[in-house]
Amino acid sequence: MGRDVPAMVFTREDRRRYRIKMQECLDAFEQMLREARFEFERPQVGLEIELNLVNASGEPVMRNTEVLEAIADAAWATELGRFNLEINIPPRTLTAGGPDAWEKEIRDALNHAEERAAAVGAHLIMVGILPTLRQSDVSEAGLSEDPRYRLLNEQVFAARGEDLRIDVDGVDRLRTYADTITPEAACTSTQFHLQVSPDDFADYWNAAQAIAGVQVALAANSPFLFGKELWHETRIPLFEQATDTRSEEIKVQGVRPRVWFGERWINSVFDLFEENLRYFPALLPLCDEEDPKETLDGGDAPQLAELTLQNGTIYRWNRPVYAVAHDKPHLRVENRVLPAGPTVADVLANGAFYYGLTRGLVDEERPVWSRMSFSAAEDNLHAAARRGMDARLYWPGMGEVPVSELVLRRLLPLAHQGLERWGMDAAWREPLLGIIEQRCVTGRNGAVWQQEMFHHIDDSTHVGRHEALRRMTQQYIDYMHLNAPAHTWPVE
């Protein structure tokens, strides 16, 4: 959905043509896989971070267009909500530039943007869900001005035919309805990209699916929504519900949701793109002029515009990405399960754990996905989102165990091995994975700190729930700028 799309009304003919073009794209993609036309000799990693905009008091501000103009950098873009922005960090090899290069690049970019945003009365915060966000902030007026978001909003509700229901049980209970997809904008994430060869894609995607629950448990950072204390990573159920095109009756019929974990381990990247065409009607049936077969036969790489646009409206937690860069096509796994923040140090630790652990699992003689049911991996994701560091997760050979025990005993050594195979030496690995280790030892992450700090303020000052959340948010921002990992943040 990164493409600019015009405001328009779609006809039945548009949808018929789009289905034909998607099949043509899929056929061309299959031919490219057979003929090994992909770039993967020097695999790169990438990073996207979604952020919220707040004022000096920690309340959301609807100024992403003004802030984007002030930043004036092509790496930045609007997101769904007027209180959101996204930065795309340029792709790189994992070990380029030495141990501190990536962190410096990210911090420099964020600090520059913060300085520019402050000039127009806004500040940036990396957090899974902004704690001060109210339900009134996610009305249709909160949608970004870009026509593609309004068009997507119209198409979701045209498909659904009724208001969205949001129902999350946690410490508190949230039950409400929405007549716009803007609640999805409350979900701000960190997205890690990993370029892989077509032959290796299935293994890396399966590995990413297998560890999704572990990732979420360790990095949970979204315990509050609309003033309610819910799951440790409330982004997961909120995102699943906020873009659901299915009515209740359609759900009962077993129709797949557009925010989807999936339903099976795969054998090829082709499986995922084929599912996109087979299971999901087009939300945005926009046809491109390119003939993918003609382009391919001419020796060039087709953009496969219809295939990629459709893929961008199916929100897999691990999404396949096809792209063309410098006239060469490549494939990426886009890991989408993690929240933004709390700090750049935490984000990079999460990245090191993800890149290292997937490599470690892929290199195992007997893959974990051959010993674990797909449904167990999905159950792990929801258990982790609900309970965070307190979750008990299933792992082959261990059964159901506390997440800290699973990571310390089994997965952290694998992550070290994987990073070593990527070319990262111990002096570089230890500080990054040491943050993951200390989260397990202390039982603390961003969600735990938010909960504890909120209750500390609420119990000691009795200023009311929203004011306690606002004060907590201001303290969060202060610690975020210090860049000390969240497990070290005091509650006082």
Side-chain angles (χ1 to χ4, degrees):
M1 267 304 294
R3 281 177 56 186
D4 289 330
V5 298
M8 62 186 301
V9 175
F10 297 116
T11 66
R12 292 192 297 271
E13 174 65 12
D14 291 329
R15 297 185 181 281
R16 185 187 69 80
R17 288 182 61 241
Y18 191 78
R19 180 175 284 110
I20 292 170
K21 281 296 297 287
M22 279 201 297
Q23 185 61 59
E24 290 173 353
C25 287
L26 191 64
D27 292 343
F29 182 63
E30 185 175 28
Q31 181 180 340
M32 294 173 73
L33 291 172
R34 287 197 310 269
E35 297 174 358
R37 296 201 181 200
F38 291 88
E39 169 73 19
F40 58 86
E41 294 302 322
R42 296 180 68 251
Q44 295 187 313
V45 298
L47 173 64
E48 300 174 66
I49 304 174
E50 298 168 351
L51 301 102
N52 288 280
L53 297 173
V54 296
N55 60 21
S57 298
E59 303 278 7
V61 293
M62 307 293 174
R63 294 184 186 169
N64 66 353
T65 301
E66 297 167 65
V67 172
L68 199 60
E69 290 173 355
I71 295 172
D73 185 333
W76 290 83
T78 56
E79 258 295 328
L80 179 65
R82 294 179 63 207
F83 52 92
N84 299 146
L85 281 182
E86 178 181 86
I87 182 172
N88 290 271
I89 305 298
R92 55 184 288 127
T93 57
L94 186 59
T95 55
D100 302 320
W102 210 14
E103 179 171 357
K104 184 179 187 305
E105 181 181 5
I106 298 166
R107 292 196 69 191
D108 286 350
L110 294 177
N111 288 337
H112 170 76
E114 168 64 22
E115 181 181 331
R116 293 295 182 89
V120 295
H123 302 276
L124 303 177
I125 175 174
M126 288 194 303
V127 64
I129 294 175
L130 181 62
T132 55
L133 197 69
R134 303 174 193 261
Q135 192 165 351
S136 57
D137 295 318
V138 295
S139 66
E140 187 171 353
L143 271 178
S144 281
E145 296 174 12
D146 193 311
R148 74 178 182 265
Y149 297 121
R150 298 192 178 275
L151 185 58
L152 182 65
N153 183 63
E154 291 168 7
Q155 295 303 306
V156 166
F157 280 92
R160 184 178 173 82
E162 60 186 61
D163 288 352
L164 289 163
R165 184 183 187 208
I166 298 172
D167 188 346
V168 186
D169 266 339
V171 177
D172 302 319
R173 182 165 195 178
L174 175 65
R175 276 182 168 168
T176 189
Y177 287 87
D179 59 2
T180 169
I181 62 170
T182 319
E184 181 199 329
C187 307
T188 40
S189 65
T190 299
Q191 295 151 27
F192 290 108
H193 291 252
L194 176 62
Q195 182 183 342
V196 296
S197 74
D199 288 345
D200 291 337
F201 186 96
D203 286 351
Y204 276 98
W205 189 85
N206 288 340
Q209 292 285 98
I211 67 168
V214 180
Q215 287 182 274
V216 167
L218 291 171
N221 196 32
S222 314
F224 295 100
L225 174 63
F226 304 153
K228 305 277 191 180
E229 185 176 355
L230 300 168
W231 291 15
H232 283 234
E233 191 47 40
T234 306
R235 272 179 56 258
I236 301 296
L238 175 59
F239 196 58
E240 289 176 340
Q241 296 175 37
T243 52
D244 199 339
T245 57
R246 306 169 303 163
S247 66
E248 294 301 317
E249 296 81 3
I250 294 296
K251 289 181 190 178
V252 172
Q253 293 173 32
V255 173
R256 280 85 173 171
R258 295 193 89 95
V259 177
W260 199 31
F261 188 77
E263 59 192 14
R264 58 176 176 138
W265 307 117
I266 65 169
N267 297 311
S268 166
V269 62
F270 186 81
D271 295 348
L272 301 178
F273 284 105
E274 186 181 38
E275 286 178 350
N276 289 354
L277 181 56
R278 183 191 305 156
Y279 296 147
F280 299 99
L283 283 181
L284 301 172
L286 292 162
C287 286
D288 191 81
E289 293 301 317
E290 179 187 61
D291 182 326
K293 179 168 176 46
E294 185 178 296
T295 302
L296 198 56
D297 290 345
D300 295 323
Q303 296 294 323
L304 305 184
E306 292 80 12
L307 194 76
T308 57
L309 180 58
Q310 170 79 341
N311 190 52
T313 63
I314 298 162
Y315 305 98
R316 297 176 185 273
W317 292 114
N318 286 289
R319 177 189 275 167
V321 176
Y322 168 90
V324 179
H326 309 296
D327 299 322
K328 294 182 179 180
H330 67 263
L331 295 171
R332 305 194 304 267
V333 178
E334 180 188 12
N335 180 247
R336 301 164 49 82
V337 296
L338 293 181
T343 66
V344 174
D346 285 300
V347 168
L348 289 179
N350 294 338
F353 183 72
Y354 168 70
Y355 291 127
L357 184 53
T358 51
R359 176 66 183 267
L361 291 172
V362 165
D363 288 350
E364 282 194 310
E365 186 174 340
R366 188 180 174 199
V368 65
W369 52 93
S370 70
R371 298 177 283 129
M372 180 181 189
S373 72
F374 195 84
S375 61
E378 184 173 16
D379 289 345
N380 277 352
L381 174 64
H382 290 99
R386 181 182 289 275
R387 298 187 57 81
M389 294 297 299
D390 293 330
R392 294 177 62 88
L393 305 180
Y394 171 81
W395 196 259
M398 297 183 72
E400 191 175 278
V401 293
V403 65
S404 293
E405 180 182 344
L406 170 59
V407 172
L408 292 174
R409 282 180 49 196
R410 180 78 180 94
L411 302 185
L412 204 55
L414 265 179
H416 273 283
Q417 291 173 24
L419 289 179
E420 185 175 18
R421 288 168 184 158
W422 284 122
M424 189 178 289
D425 62 30
W428 191 345
R429 297 193 311 268
E430 291 293 344
L432 289 169
L433 294 183
I435 293 173
I436 303 298
E437 179 181 27
Q438 286 305 304
R439 284 188 209 159
C440 294
V441 171
T442 62
R444 300 178 59 75
N445 58 18
V448 171
W449 182 88
Q450 287 189 55
Q451 291 168 321
E452 290 182 353
M453 192 67 182
F454 163 74
H455 287 292
H456 171 72
I457 295 170
D458 192 41
D459 293 344
S460 60
T461 63
H462 306 291
V463 291
R465 176 168 283 231
H466 186 80
E467 176 62 14
L469 287 169
R470 190 193 67 78
R471 293 185 187 184
M472 181 268 285
T473 300
Q474 286 186 304
Q475 189 67 68
Y476 179 107
I477 293 171
D478 289 342
Y479 289 143
M480 179 189 75
H481 284 299
L482 292 175
N483 201 36
H487 72 266
T488 68
W489 293 5
V491 177
E492 56 186 27

